């Protein structure tokens, strides 16, 4: 039985591995171990991985993952000793492996912090209510940061939380800080990413969706990375970019590009106005943006803005 | 004697190659051929390559290139038949090779177009004056696009030129279109790129410069791509991003991120407000941006903006 704390301490691994859970870490490790020659069998209780909520993007990622290892969906897996290994069973699925990697998430390490002495109500996880933007617990001079907040357990969010908590702990009165656009990346291949509002979060919002299938994208094909799907979501009324989900070659970089646009509340049209070199994967993103733009009312005839001749010549 | 038209038609290549010129194509081909096992010797008349004008970035790129092939700087190379090969001579530098790749640029293919019948003055290259933003030649119903304009001989610029020329050819009266932020990428390793205003173009402008040395950047080291230098230029008074030059791992992607920011006239502070995941190469770019920000007057205490508690909680 291994966790990501102990996996990297093993001098050797047996040739059969079960992975329980396909969150970011589960996907990354399962794919990496499969590529190292280990027979990997993953067990999940539902079709979900890498934080993706867009069913089309998730289907595309799973089709790629299933080329490299086996995934069983079903009830919670149970483990039993079996000869020289471990028998993993989930409903009718059963496999004997040499080791099991548990990648089903972590719980906040709050034991011994004394949260119960604060005099505020604690939820069923033992956590107090706090403000996400000031990190303050009620009106107390106590601020919360890091893994204690399991809702955004990402390093860059924890760094911001520590920054805000630290600033506020020394301020005369605590301030609220705007949080950055959401960004989550899983370093599998193709990279999975969710930027801004997820497909699920936008349920009920009137959006247009643009997509690019990387199996037909020029640079992706030349680079033999021709697999993946990226979908962008824009507000139908304003054209503002709201979010994106993807499993895409160099998705980690495309996700940052979209994050900058979303963080600055840019519209699809403003993003289409940027230069895109050739041949690059960003041309695929542009195709997705153009497809979204084509569904907007008052679609511009050109990616380029009309400008005054004289002014432009002075500035150029 | 080969050009990039004929290089790819060769069924085999001899083991010794001279490359004349280290522009984008010269650098890309010299490095690629060297990696294919060919002994490459490049000849240039001055230390310049990949369009870089920032001497520190250029030095960093050359140090990388010179690990893979020989570069001679000196007077224009001359060729002479020699046994079963070609003798290439430039001053005291002399090498015998099996073939020579000429990568010293192209001239516009304007012969037979009949430009001399337009009734307008032609320059020494045989080209008429025209407006960059409308593509119009004087007041004539004639519009210019593509390689005929050697000043921006890049595919995405040519596409825009064709778009503008086509729109204007059918318009009642020609319009001027804003051109995109400049972007040039050379697909060597590390990627070289110039975004927005180059170091040379900003000469005399009051800028602050931030840098990141990728030999010490976390993700670059882990990925064994730990070589490169990126420098960003921002206006000292406003903090607006003006340009960047780089030779950097995944530089093609970092260049697009900067291009979006520059195209939307973002400040260093606005770019620092975006989320950056961990561990990624964009963290290196952030370091460069922070170093630039640190030199600006009225430097913000935080990358995050202070916001009103109640409003933010409603939006969140």
């Amino acid at each position: 039985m291994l966790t990501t704390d102990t996996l990297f301490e093993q001098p050797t691994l047996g040739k059969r591995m079960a992975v329980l859970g396909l969150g970011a870490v589960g996907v990354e490790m399962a794919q990496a171990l499969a590529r190292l020659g280990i027979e990997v069998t993953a067990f999940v209780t539902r079709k979900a991985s890498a934080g993706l909520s867009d069913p089309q993007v998730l289907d595309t990622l799973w089709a790629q993952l299933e080329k490299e290892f086996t995934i069983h969906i079903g009830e919670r897996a149970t483990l039993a000793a079996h000869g020289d290994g471990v028998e993993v069973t989930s409903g009718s699925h059963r496999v004997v492996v040499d080791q099991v990697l548990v990648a089903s998430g972590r719980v906040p390490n709050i034991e011994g912090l004394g949260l119960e002495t604060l005099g505020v109500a604690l939820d069923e996880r033992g956590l107090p209510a706090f403000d996400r933007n000031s990190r303050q617990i009620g009106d107390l001079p106590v601020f919360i940061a890091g893994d204690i907040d399991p809702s955004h357990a990402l390093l860059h969010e924890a760094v911001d939380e520590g920054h805000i908590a630290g600033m506020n702990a020394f301020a005369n009165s605590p301030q609220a800080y705007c949080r950055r656009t959401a960004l989550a990346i899983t370093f599998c291949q193709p990279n999975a990413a969710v930027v801004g509002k997820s497909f699920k979060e936008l349920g009920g919002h009137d959006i247009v969706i643009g997509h690019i299938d990387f199996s037909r994208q020029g640079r992706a094909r030349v680079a033999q990375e021709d697999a993946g799907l990226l979908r962008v979501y824009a507000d139908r009324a304003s054209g503002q970019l709201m979010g994106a989900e993807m499993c895409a070659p160099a998705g980690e970089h495309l996700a940052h590009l979209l994050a900058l646009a979303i963080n600055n509340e840019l519209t699809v049209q403003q993003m289409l106005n940027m230069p895109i070199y050739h041949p690059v994967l960003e041309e695929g993103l542009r195709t997705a943006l153009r497809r979204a733009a084509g569904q907007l009312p008052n679609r511009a005839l050109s990616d380029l803005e009309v400008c005054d001749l004289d002014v432009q010549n002075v500035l150029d």
Side-chain angles (χ1 to χ4, degrees), chain A:
Chain A
M1 180 95 90
L2 303 170
T3 68
T4 47
D5 281 344
T6 56
L7 173 65
F8 298 101
E9 290 167 0
Q10 306 306 306
T12 61
L13 290 171
K15 69 172 190 172
R16 301 163 301 173
M17 170 87 73
V19 174
L20 308 188
L22 281 180
V25 169
V27 171
E28 289 170 357
M29 288 301 110
Q31 189 180 54
L33 292 166
R35 290 182 177 194
L36 288 168
I38 290 173
E39 283 170 31
V40 173
T41 309
F43 290 86
V44 291
T45 53
R46 62 193 179 91
K47 185 166 183 175
S49 61
L52 297 174
S53 75
D54 187 317
Q56 293 187 29
V57 177
L58 185 60
D59 281 350
T60 306
L61 177 63
W62 272 46
Q64 293 304 309
L65 297 179
E66 288 186 316
K67 290 179 184 170
E68 303 193 61
F69 57 88
T70 302
I71 309 178
H72 291 314
I73 310 180
E75 53 195 83
R76 226 179 160 78
T78 56
L79 310 183
H82 183 282
D84 60 346
V86 182
E87 184 183 58
V88 185
T89 309
S90 161
S92 63
H93 303 300
R94 181 189 156 280
V95 65
V96 176
V97 297
D98 298 299
Q99 58 268 309
V100 177
L101 174 64
V102 180
S104 51
R106 291 166 178 261
V107 291
N109 178 19
I110 55 175
E111 221 169 314
L113 279 183
L115 292 172
E116 69 286 356
T117 68
L118 290 175
V120 297
L122 302 179
D123 67 14
E124 70 284 354
R125 299 168 302 178
L127 295 177
F130 60 90
D131 184 88
R132 171 160 156 75
N133 300 96
S134 69
R135 313 309 300 171
Q136 190 171 21
I137 299 175
D139 294 325
L140 299 175
V142 182
F143 303 88
I144 208 166
D147 283 353
I148 193 170
D149 174 10
S151 60
H152 297 82
L154 297 170
L155 189 133
H156 73 280
E157 297 279 7
V159 167
D160 283 349
E161 291 165 10
H163 172 78
I164 297 169
M167 297 281 275
N168 278 343
F170 287 91
N172 288 329
S173 60
Q175 285 184 307
Y177 290 83
C178 300
R179 301 303 295 268
R180 305 177 201 268
T181 293
L183 174 62
I185 298 171
T186 300
F187 295 100
C188 51
Q189 195 176 26
N191 296 160
V194 181
V195 193
K197 297 287 185 198
S198 70
F199 182 79
K200 188 179 168 188
E201 287 172 310
L202 288 167
H205 196 104
D206 190 13
I207 56 171
V208 296
I209 301 178
H211 75 281
I212 172 69
D213 175 351
F214 282 96
S215 70
R216 298 188 50 75
Q217 201 271 332
R219 172 63 178 273
R221 291 176 77 157
V222 170
Q224 296 181 293
E225 298 181 289
D226 51 338
L229 178 69
L230 183 155
R231 301 223 302 163
V232 295
Y233 319 124
D235 179 71
R236 188 187 300 272
S238 65
Q240 189 179 322
L241 278 165
M242 304 300 290
E245 294 198 25
M246 72 188 77
C247 67
E252 58 181 293
H253 302 299
L254 300 178
H256 280 92
L257 189 59
L258 282 158
L260 176 62
I262 295 169
N263 205 64
N264 282 280
E265 301 180 354
L266 299 188
T267 63
V268 171
Q269 190 68 30
Q270 283 175 307
M271 203 166 178
L272 281 171
N273 190 254
M274 72 176 284
I276 306 268
Y277 210 71
H278 175 78
V280 295
L281 293 164
E282 283 80 358
E283 291 174 295
L285 170 57
R286 181 174 60 196
T287 296
L289 292 168
R290 284 187 173 153
R291 285 176 174 154
Q295 301 166 57
L296 293 173
N298 308 316
R299 163 76 171 120
L301 272 174
S302 172
D303 291 349
L304 301 173
E305 284 172 58
V306 170
C307 61
D308 185 74
L309 256 177
D310 294 332
V311 171
Q312 180 62 17
N313 283 343
V314 169
L315 291 176
D316 200 32

